[in-house]
Amino acid sequence: MSAISGSCLCGAIRYTCTAPAVMVAACHCTHCQKQSGSAFSVNVAIPKGSLQFTAGEPRRYEDRGTSGLPVYRHFCGDCGSPLFSDVVATPQLDWLKAGTLDDTSWVKPGANLWCESAQRWVVFAEGSARFAQNPPVA
Ligand SMILES: [Zn+2]
Ligand SMILES: [Zn+2]
């Protein structure tokens, strides 16, 4: 797997990740649909603290998860691209938005979260796990 790097749409914000990805999950929750303006988010889990910004600083929107804990959604204040989420309920991981990667060739969701709110036309990646909501905490 190549080193992880990426940017927002306008390029004001660029990042690299100092650690390999832990997993890839598609999230079909209604908040990810709203934020992405799409059917779901493709999120790359990375060790928390491994993301480094080499240009710009994202803005932050404080969302709230079903756990009741904050979900800090970071995005470009200029072009609006969602970049990553700091989910307080997953203290070991940050969730990078796969569509902002420079190289997405290796990305394939291994799990689908919040399938109960998935849009009806969605076809799940072959062999990927499906969870009605969040997966049980490992
Ligand atoms: Zn931007
Ligand atoms: Zn979600």
Side-chain angles (χ1 to χ4, degrees):
M1 191 184 298
S2 52
I4 294 173
S5 65
S7 72
C8 64
L9 176 61
C10 77
I13 297 176
R14 287 206 56 82
Y15 63 80
T16 59
C17 182
T18 57
V22 176
M23 66 173 290
V24 181
C27 185
H28 303 265
C29 82
T30 55
H31 290 210
C32 282
Q33 291 185 27
K34 289 279 189 191
Q35 193 204 24
S36 66
S38 187
F40 53 86
S41 284
V42 182
N43 297 317
V44 177
I46 54 172
K48 199 176 286 279
S50 62
L51 195 61
Q52 296 184 341
F53 289 93
T54 54
E57 274 293 327
R59 288 189 58 194
R60 189 178 89 160
Y61 170 66
E62 183 176 337
D63 195 7
R64 199 153 292 270
T66 49
S67 63
L69 296 169
V71 175
Y72 297 106
R73 293 177 176 272
H74 295 252
F75 61 97
C76 175
D78 291 329
C79 72
S81 294
L83 291 157
F84 79 102
S85 294
D86 171 4
V87 180
V88 173
T90 62
Q92 312 299 324
L93 300 171
D94 277 331
W95 299 88
L96 196 53
K97 302 296 180 182
T100 66
L101 295 168
D102 292 329
D103 173 16
T104 58
S105 63
W106 56 273
V107 173
K108 185 184 176 188
N112 291 276
L113 316 184
W114 289 93
C115 292
E116 68 178 25
S117 54
Q119 293 188 16
R120 290 194 177 176
W121 57 267
V122 167
V123 178
F124 299 97
E126 201 178 325
S128 62
R130 296 180 208 176
F131 300 94
Q133 300 184 352
N134 285 321
V137 177

